[in-house]
Amino acid sequence: MAQLSRRQVLLASGAAAVVALAGCGDDTPDKKDLDRNRTGAMDKYGIGDQFKATEPVTFSILYNNHPNYPLKPEWLFWTELAGRTNVKLDPVAVPLSDYEQKRSVLVGSGDAPMIIPKTYHPQENSYVSSGAILPVSDYLDLMPHFKDKIEKWKLQPEMDTLRQEDGKFYLLPGLHEKPWQDYTLAVRTDVLEQLKIPSPTTWDEVYAMLKAMKAAHPDVIPFSDRFGKPNPAGNLLNMLALAHGLPGAGWNYQPTSWDSGAGKYVFTGASDGYRQVVEYLHKLVAEGLLDPETFTQTDDQARQKLASGKSFVISTNAQTLVNDYRPDIAKINPNARLGKILFPVGPAGAVNPATRLENGVMISSKARDGKNFVAMMQFVDWLWYSDAGQEFAKWGVEGTTYTKDGSGKRTLAPDVNVIGLNPKGTKHLQKDFGFYNGVFAYGGKLDLVQSFFSPEELEFQKEMNARKAAPWVTPPPAPLSDSEREQTTLWATALKDHVTQNTLKFALGQRPLSEWDAYVSELKGKNAQAYIDLVNKAYDRYRKNHG
């Protein structure tokens, strides 16, 4: 899930700067000549309306082809979508492993499809100055469901973090009613019972648990993690960063962090919080509690170690627990049990560190001049942001893939399976029908987001949502100008590489922790301070302009 920044010239100041988006001037520009772009559009399209183009239309879309459910032209998703909306999607399929690189090539060459989903902020930033993607905030009047959810769920502060220096935002993110923290640790609960220790609730207790496991099983390295490529220890680093009050690290690397005490941005990889993260990792590796191969091994290697009893702890989310680990273990050790622990609490306290924004959709600037532009924006609004479109994308067709009772409770059809809910089902909701597809199905009401959750997962989310929201997931805006963004981009890769390489060295003991200050000086030599100075300059500029 990656995470966020930027903004609009608002019409008010002070506290009034976070008024409803409709009042911020978002959807006022460029209306005068949309009359030429309304072919296929509905004359009256509002909240709760089913979008259906007035004539058949086709929109090209960049399609992230997931290996777990490879694209099939015969999916019910395509035919049912066309029947409901009069829209045919023309997918440009790109393998999941090449998606970001291929997207950059297509956008940069001007050959990108009209609709570009699966974009994680701030990935859109690199396309803004070229004019290749549309300032979608100019067209919110065409998207009633999107606007309604932002206003109803009070998402304006989160949306403001997406704005660029021109005050516009260029990404339509997935919108959640509530934060959704999915990733945490999976632990062999039968081993905990044998050792007579409770499920850990903090990172200090995780350390104590690993120590106890190691003492009882000296030949086992208790924690061997997956998600080690392409970012070493990608998920583990991110979870530790969040627990230390940082916006992200590892596979959610965030170069800057807001220091509320100092009232300014700092460079994440040089911060005191990040130093504590590195020290914790070093301690685990040095004491034989964390497998050094965590930083480089494949997911399959990590899964095999867990299944064979060579490890007892691994990163997880709800789906991997059910789809991967439990079946793996059951083949080798039917008596073993694995459970998902609550996200461990760190120095930042008992918070839910998830944001309410998710990956989203960019629109090619070329689409603006197309005769079907208004219809396309109405279609995007319906499929990704209306209650009906979100339910369709996730559950499919009532009476075919699921049923719904009088109370609104949805149940998969008896012959349809997904994430182990109907193990005897002969058809798969994703593989055979194309629903619950990560390109189309994300965000929504809490009830919809949790509608595939097991009782175990519902309890996990209930406890996570009882925690207060983490304030640092919605930092104050610091929108960079085009020239500032260009400059920071020149510095960013070398800085990220240095942080990544030295995190690995410190954790593995290849570089002594006593050299932390030298490492920070090296970052300054690679323009970390200049980077932060530009970000803080942008923050001050915005604050002065908008109160």
Side-chain angles (χ1 to χ4, degrees):
M1 306 245 323
Q3 299 113 337
L4 307 158
S5 159
R6 322 308 164 207
R7 240 158 163 132
Q8 163 118 6
V9 180
L10 302 178
L11 302 178
S13 62
V18 208
V19 294
L21 284 175
C24 298
D26 277 316
D27 49 17
T28 53
D30 211 16
K31 283 183 178 178
K32 55 186 179 299
D33 57 355
L34 279 178
D35 288 345
R36 297 176 299 170
N37 310 96
R38 293 186 176 276
T39 303
M42 293 175 63
D43 290 335
K44 293 183 178 180
Y45 171 67
I47 299 168
D49 289 342
Q50 165 68 55
F51 169 76
K52 186 161 190 176
T54 58
E55 61 181 62
V57 291
T58 299
F59 303 129
S60 58
I61 183 170
L62 192 61
Y63 183 86
N64 190 339
N65 203 2
H66 201 292
N68 288 355
Y69 43 92
L71 185 150
K72 295 180 182 177
E74 65 271 21
W75 275 342
L76 177 62
F77 174 84
W78 306 117
T79 53
E80 186 69 20
L81 183 69
R84 295 188 187 201
T85 65
N86 222 2
V87 171
K88 177 185 176 185
L89 289 176
D90 180 16
V92 177
V94 177
L96 172 67
S97 57
D98 297 329
Y99 190 76
E100 290 183 21
Q101 181 180 5
K102 183 66 171 177
R103 181 184 60 208
S104 294
V105 170
L106 288 171
V107 174
S109 66
D111 294 326
M114 298 297 155
I115 303 172
I116 311 168
K118 296 300 285 186
T119 299
Y120 291 82
H121 179 80
Q123 292 172 345
E124 81 278 13
N125 288 0
S126 58
Y127 309 123
V128 170
S129 59
S130 68
I133 59 171
L134 200 68
V136 286
S137 55
D138 281 352
Y139 302 97
L140 298 189
D141 61 327
L142 305 178
M143 305 187 68
H145 295 102
F146 182 84
K147 281 177 62 175
D148 179 59
K149 282 183 166 54
I150 289 170
E151 293 163 7
K152 186 165 52 182
W153 295 343
K154 296 180 171 57
L155 283 162
Q156 293 95 336
E158 285 95 328
M159 290 301 303
D160 283 342
T161 64
L162 299 177
R163 297 183 186 276
Q164 305 292 328
E165 195 199 19
D166 61 6
K168 305 174 191 289
F169 56 84
Y170 291 72
L171 180 72
L172 295 166
L175 306 176
H176 282 266
E177 182 182 12
K178 298 286 185 182
W180 175 29
Q181 177 60 37
D182 192 11
Y183 284 89
T184 184
L185 297 178
V187 175
R188 279 278 300 274
T189 53
D190 58 309
V191 175
L192 293 184
E193 290 175 8
Q194 291 165 8
L195 298 174
K196 295 182 171 55
I197 56 177
S199 180
T201 60
T202 69
W203 285 104
D204 286 344
E205 290 177 4
V206 168
Y207 168 71
M209 172 192 72
L210 296 173
K211 289 277 284 185
M213 288 176 165
K214 184 70 175 178
H217 302 274
D219 57 334
V220 168
I221 301 179
F223 189 2
S224 187
D225 212 12
R226 69 184 295 179
F227 308 130
K229 292 184 176 182
N231 304 102
N235 181 56
L236 176 57
L237 259 174
N238 188 53
M239 291 195 298
L240 284 166
L242 294 172
H244 283 76
L246 302 173
W251 65 4
N252 181 33
Y253 170 80
Q254 301 290 323
T256 64
S257 300
W258 175 250
D259 184 333
S260 58
K264 64 181 182 179
Y265 278 92
V266 297
F267 193 78
T268 303
S271 65
D272 288 342
Y274 197 77
R275 177 180 52 80
Q276 293 170 29
V277 168
V278 170
E279 288 172 348
Y280 185 86
L281 285 173
H282 172 84
K283 179 170 68 172
L284 295 189
V285 173
E287 297 184 20
L289 309 179
L290 176 64
D291 185 357
E293 293 180 359
T294 281
F295 298 90
T296 53
Q297 68 189 354
T298 65
D299 285 3
D300 285 345
Q301 288 171 320
R303 286 173 60 179
Q304 181 58 34
K305 289 176 182 177
L306 181 73
S308 61
K310 292 180 180 177
S311 69
F312 301 140
V313 181
I314 194 169
S315 282
T316 192
N317 60 23
Q319 287 202 48
T320 55
L321 179 70
V322 174
N323 289 348
D324 295 351
Y325 306 146
R326 283 176 174 165
D328 288 349
I329 290 176
K331 294 174 186 175
I332 299 174
N333 184 358
N335 295 320
R337 295 190 309 283
L338 196 72
K340 187 179 176 186
I341 68 170
L342 281 177
F343 187 89
V345 173
V351 296
N352 187 332
T355 175
R356 292 194 291 164
L357 303 187
E358 203 171 342
N359 73 88
V361 179
M362 296 189 298
I363 303 295
S364 169
S365 293
K366 294 186 301 183
R368 172 60 184 81
D369 297 324
K371 66 178 184 178
N372 302 126
F373 172 68
V374 173
M376 189 183 79
M377 297 303 287
Q378 291 176 342
F379 167 77
V380 168
D381 178 70
W382 180 82
L383 180 58
W384 275 278
Y385 300 103
S386 75
D387 292 348
Q390 290 176 333
E391 181 178 65
F392 165 74
K394 186 161 188 171
W395 278 88
V397 180
E398 187 174 0
T400 302
T401 58
Y402 76 101
T403 58
K404 189 189 289 189
D405 65 19
S407 68
K409 185 180 185 303
R410 310 170 194 87
T411 304
L412 283 171
D415 61 340
V416 177
N417 185 29
V418 73
I419 55 172
L421 293 177
N422 270 346
K424 296 181 180 178
T426 57
K427 300 171 184 174
H428 195 276
L429 188 65
Q430 294 168 312
K431 297 176 184 178
D432 297 314
F433 294 101
F435 298 106
Y436 198 23
N437 183 326
V439 175
F440 305 108
Y442 48 79
K445 293 179 177 178
L446 184 66
D447 165 68
L448 181 70
V449 170
Q450 297 188 350
S451 57
F452 283 152
F453 288 179
S454 65
E456 173 186 23
E457 181 63 17
L458 286 171
E459 183 59 31
F460 175 91
Q461 293 298 333
K462 179 182 177 182
E463 296 206 33
M464 288 304 301
N465 278 319
R467 298 180 179 182
K468 65 180 181 180
W472 57 87
V473 302
T474 310
L480 301 176
S481 67
D482 286 348
S483 61
E484 290 168 340
R485 191 183 308 109
E486 187 175 332
Q487 183 61 70
T488 55
T489 300
L490 291 174
W491 299 329
T493 300
L495 285 167
K496 180 180 180 182
D497 288 347
H498 199 68
V499 170
T500 301
Q501 291 162 9
N502 283 277
T503 298
L504 187 57
K505 288 178 182 178
F506 283 130
L508 294 176
Q510 296 168 354
R511 184 173 188 179
L513 291 169
S514 59
E515 293 187 11
W516 178 264
D517 289 344
Y519 153 74
V520 172
S521 295
E522 291 158 10
L523 287 173
K524 289 180 180 177
K526 295 180 182 296
N527 299 297
Q529 189 59 52
Y531 189 115
I532 283 299
D533 287 345
L534 275 185
V535 173
N536 280 315
K537 176 184 173 185
Y539 161 68
D540 287 337
R541 182 175 60 228
Y542 179 86
R543 185 167 53 88
K544 288 173 183 175
N545 289 338
H546 305 293

